[in-house]
Amino acid sequence: MAYFPLQEYDEVTDPKVKAVYEEIVTELGFGIVPNLFKSMAVNAEVLEANWKKFRATILQGDIPRTLKEMIGVAISQANNSPYALKVHLHGLSALGISEEVLRTLVSDFDACPLPERQKAAIRFGLLAATKPHELTESDYQKLGEFGLDESEIFEIIATAELFTSINRYTDAIALEIDAL
């Protein structure tokens, strides 16, 4: 059981929280408010700030959302973060990613049938999240060779930072997996 209550939409009395929930339902594309955000409803300002950061990082930009979610899978698996791993895998499934890709993404990444460009981005994001001091000029150059520009590489790093933070938060509060 989570250490913070999960506020359902019909329980919310704060108009700011209600407005953020409505944005989440509309923009996230799954028709629900994930437990991640429900757990933040205890503080409307924190909820709003985290939603805005999530939206700007994951739902906007040039890197496809599916690739960002795959980076989230790699980071969540490395951090042994069960909530985030399950949510990312569900999200990818809902976004149309095949069962084969989902299975190999977590069981045998090298055999995962993804283009090398995507694999390089996932590896880079994982390294940025878990061992940022080990990133080298060569790692950046490799992404450049795959056609990723500075803005896209920044998005990968921002995605890695966001999902690392989400892993820590969801694990610290023992967040329950959403009823998907």
Side-chain angles (χ1 to χ4, degrees):
M1 180 172 199
Y3 291 107
F4 294 101
L6 304 180
Q7 290 188 28
E8 299 298 331
Y9 181 84
D10 58 357
E11 300 168 340
V12 173
T13 57
D14 184 320
K16 182 177 255 184
V17 171
K18 246 188 211 301
V20 172
Y21 275 25
E22 289 168 2
E23 285 181 13
I24 292 168
V25 168
T26 301
E27 296 179 35
L28 196 56
F30 300 131
I32 65 165
V33 176
N35 287 351
L36 169 67
F37 296 111
K38 289 177 189 176
S39 71
M40 295 177 186
V42 66
N43 184 315
E45 299 300 322
V46 170
L47 169 64
E48 181 180 47
N50 279 284
W51 164 243
K52 285 182 177 182
K53 183 175 183 179
F54 184 93
R55 179 176 50 201
T57 306
I58 305 306
L59 304 183
Q60 299 170 353
D62 294 323
I63 297 290
R65 179 177 174 185
T66 52
L67 181 55
K68 292 174 183 177
E69 293 282 355
M70 289 180 199
I71 292 168
V73 166
I75 292 167
S76 299
Q77 186 171 19
N79 289 335
N80 195 26
S81 184
Y83 173 85
L85 180 60
K86 179 139 179 141
V87 168
H88 291 303
L89 288 170
H90 174 75
L92 285 165
S93 178
L95 292 168
I97 301 300
S98 75
E99 287 302 314
E100 178 188 9
V101 169
L102 297 177
R103 183 178 40 76
T104 56
L105 193 59
V106 295
S107 66
D108 187 6
F109 182 73
D110 289 334
C112 190
L114 291 172
E116 284 305 312
R117 181 181 196 266
Q118 289 183 343
K119 286 180 156 181
I122 294 167
R123 285 186 184 106
F124 184 91
L126 179 59
L127 191 58
T130 58
K131 299 175 185 173
H133 296 292
E134 293 183 18
L135 285 170
T136 66
E137 183 65 31
S138 174
D139 295 314
Y140 283 86
Q141 287 174 347
K142 186 173 189 171
L143 292 183
E145 291 167 9
F146 279 111
L148 290 149
D149 65 25
E150 187 176 84
S151 174
E152 292 168 316
I153 295 169
F154 173 81
E155 281 185 50
I156 293 169
I157 293 170
T159 298
E161 184 279 325
L162 176 69
F163 287 140
T164 299
S165 173
I166 288 173
N167 285 179
R168 288 183 178 144
Y169 172 77
T170 59
D171 293 342
I173 68 165
L175 191 59
E176 302 159 2
I177 304 290
D178 299 71
L180 307 171

